[in-house]
Amino acid sequence: MSEQESRRGPYGAVSRRLLLRSTAAFLSVPFVANTTCAFAQDKLAGNGEVVVYSYGGSFTENLRKYVFDPFTKATGIRVVDVTADLAEPQIKAMSAAKRVDWDAAFVTPQGYLELRETGMFVPIDYGLWDDEALKGVPEFSRLSDAVGAFKNATMLVYDERAFTKSAPVSWADFWNVKEYPGPRGLDGSVGYRNMLFALMADGVAHEDLLPLTDDKIDRALKKLDEIKPHISKWWMAGGEPIQLLLNREYALTSAFDGRALAAIKKGARIRMVWDGATSVGENYWTILKGGPNSTNAQKFIAFVNRAEMAAAFTQGAGYPGPNINQLKYLPADLVPLISINPDNAAKALLVDVAWFVAKRPDGKTNFDHIQERWLAWRAQ
């Protein structure tokens, strides 16, 4: 299992009107919550339980506070937590055993593409959704058998204490060690994102980055040769880069948006650069075929995609769901920091997951081929 900056300000350009609307709406959350409860009691009321998979730890604890318990209060349906690092291995095991114990689960973009081929997912009942949710959640997030749950991105994040006069705003600045000196970090485990960052630093336009053909890989690795001596540590786990920034062991690094956001909310003096962020696409809510409480799972999915509950999910998870109307219900200081803010979304690159998992003539996936090239380069 998952974090703008423009030259117009430290968090990017967000209209004053949107900020004021966000603040006003946030102050009116109790009223909004009542309208959601009224909708749920009218259309989603039920009994019994729904078994929902999530990632455990503070992620699940926060979802329970912000989403699960409000769902139970509004509908009478109890949410039972199940947790694991990733859902896909568990789903495959349940399918093989012909005993599905879960009802709703997050799956990764890659996992969704694989598991949908086996018929593991129930069609989503959009008839339970209200008009607001249908308009707020884009069509590309409303698939026949899955709904976008959240996106995560990898982006440039820097320590503002290290750059008091001029701050980096692009991957070209990351590569500019003279203008922006200091120790740097990049992900040592997965190579394709670093290749994309390198190509952007080398002047390749967003629309020309993908697919990562061999000539582009060669160009990216040549550019990475330039920055390699300045990488003080290749981070391997999601929490590392932010901690190393806080410890001043990094001045700037790649990092996940949700990790950076969580640190900023706690007062960390770090800044997020959305220009050139790479998004791996949407992680999906799915309803598992054969689950014990599919009807209740449909009601849960309809509930969580209302704008007010999408805002609650974002505050609980740190990663936003797709309903764009939630911007009206979020705290003003959060709006400039999240991926569905239109200013941020326009600057980020959406990765074509289907291409990465497609097979090459040699039987390897494109991802595996790129990863082999990356690991060979790292070993030099």
Side-chain angles (χ1 to χ4, degrees), residues 50-327:
V50 58
V51 181
V52 178
Y53 157 83
S54 59
Y55 304 116
S58 60
F59 185 92
T60 296
E61 291 172 10
N62 287 335
L63 285 191
R64 174 152 293 287
K65 174 182 176 182
Y66 284 90
V67 179
F68 297 168
D69 287 346
F71 172 74
T72 299
K73 183 177 180 180
T75 66
I77 300 168
R78 185 168 62 95
V79 176
V80 177
D81 298 324
V82 290
T83 64
D85 289 337
L86 286 173
E88 287 85 344
Q90 308 290 336
I91 293 173
K92 290 176 184 177
M94 287 188 286
S95 177
K98 300 189 184 312
R99 177 181 169 180
V100 178
D101 298 320
W102 301 355
D103 298 306
F106 296 118
V107 296
T108 64
Q110 301 94 316
Y112 168 72
L113 291 172
E114 178 183 359
L115 290 170
R116 75 176 302 194
E117 296 299 320
T118 68
M120 266 308 301
F121 305 132
V122 173
I124 302 299
D125 183 1
Y126 291 107
L128 290 173
W129 291 36
D130 69 347
D131 188 57
E132 178 280 315
L134 290 170
K135 290 179 178 177
V137 178
E139 286 189 23
F140 62 78
S141 295
R142 291 187 276 116
L143 308 183
S144 62
D145 54 1
V147 182
F150 62 91
K151 291 181 180 179
N152 59 296
T154 309
M155 66 196 322
L156 172 56
V157 181
Y158 67 88
D159 179 356
E160 68 172 352
R161 298 169 297 181
F163 303 103
T164 56
K165 294 182 179 180
S166 176
V169 297
S170 68
W171 288 108
D173 291 344
F174 184 92
W175 257 256
N176 188 345
V177 297
K178 182 177 180 180
E179 291 275 336
Y180 304 99
R184 283 148 160 78
L186 286 172
D187 180 3
S189 60
V190 178
Y192 78 87
R193 290 188 290 250
N194 297 325
M195 294 181 189
L196 294 172
F197 300 152
L199 290 171
M200 284 185 267
D202 206 35
V204 178
H206 285 197
E207 60 268 24
D208 298 326
L209 290 167
L210 296 172
L212 268 177
T213 52
D214 280 325
D215 60 321
K216 292 178 188 174
I217 294 172
D218 292 340
R219 180 175 175 177
L221 294 178
K222 183 178 179 180
K223 189 67 175 178
L224 282 161
D225 284 336
E226 297 177 14
I227 204 67
K228 194 174 188 179
H230 304 280
I231 303 299
S232 60
K233 177 180 172 59
W234 297 92
W235 57 267
M236 303 297 287
E240 275 188 275
I242 300 303
Q243 190 58 54
L244 291 168
L245 279 174
L246 298 179
N247 295 347
R248 309 193 85 158
E249 295 178 59
Y250 283 162
L252 57 173
T253 182
S254 62
F256 296 127
D257 57 337
R259 298 282 189 167
L261 176 60
I264 290 171
K265 288 173 68 177
K266 293 180 180 179
R269 295 182 61 187
I270 61 175
R271 292 292 178 261
M272 306 162 70
V273 180
W274 276 100
D275 192 6
T278 61
S279 172
V280 299
E282 290 187 288
N283 296 271
Y284 292 104
W285 279 116
T286 60
I287 298 174
L288 306 187
K289 184 173 291 185
N293 309 287
S294 293
T295 299
N296 286 345
Q298 296 281 8
K299 293 177 179 179
F300 175 79
I301 298 297
F303 180 85
V304 78
N305 278 284
R306 282 181 58 87
E308 301 94 329
M309 296 315 304
F313 180 97
T314 296
Q315 292 182 79
Y319 297 95
N323 192 329
I324 194 71
N325 292 327
Q326 70 175 284
L327 295 174

Side-chain angles (χ1 to χ4, degrees), residues 322-336:
N323 192 329
I324 194 71
N325 292 327
Q326 70 175 284
L327 295 174
K328 297 182 291 186
Y329 305 112
L330 288 169
D333 60 351
L334 185 58
V335 173

Side-chain angles (χ1 to χ4, degrees), residues 343-373:
D343 289 336
N344 298 342
K347 293 181 172 74
L349 171 72
L350 183 62
V351 173
D352 184 355
V353 175
W355 181 84
F356 275 89
V357 300
K359 294 288 183 69
R360 294 162 45 87
D362 61 6
K364 298 175 183 176
T365 65
N366 288 311
F367 176 86
D368 289 338
H369 172 70
I370 294 167
Q371 191 66 1
E372 287 182 1
R373 294 287 309 274

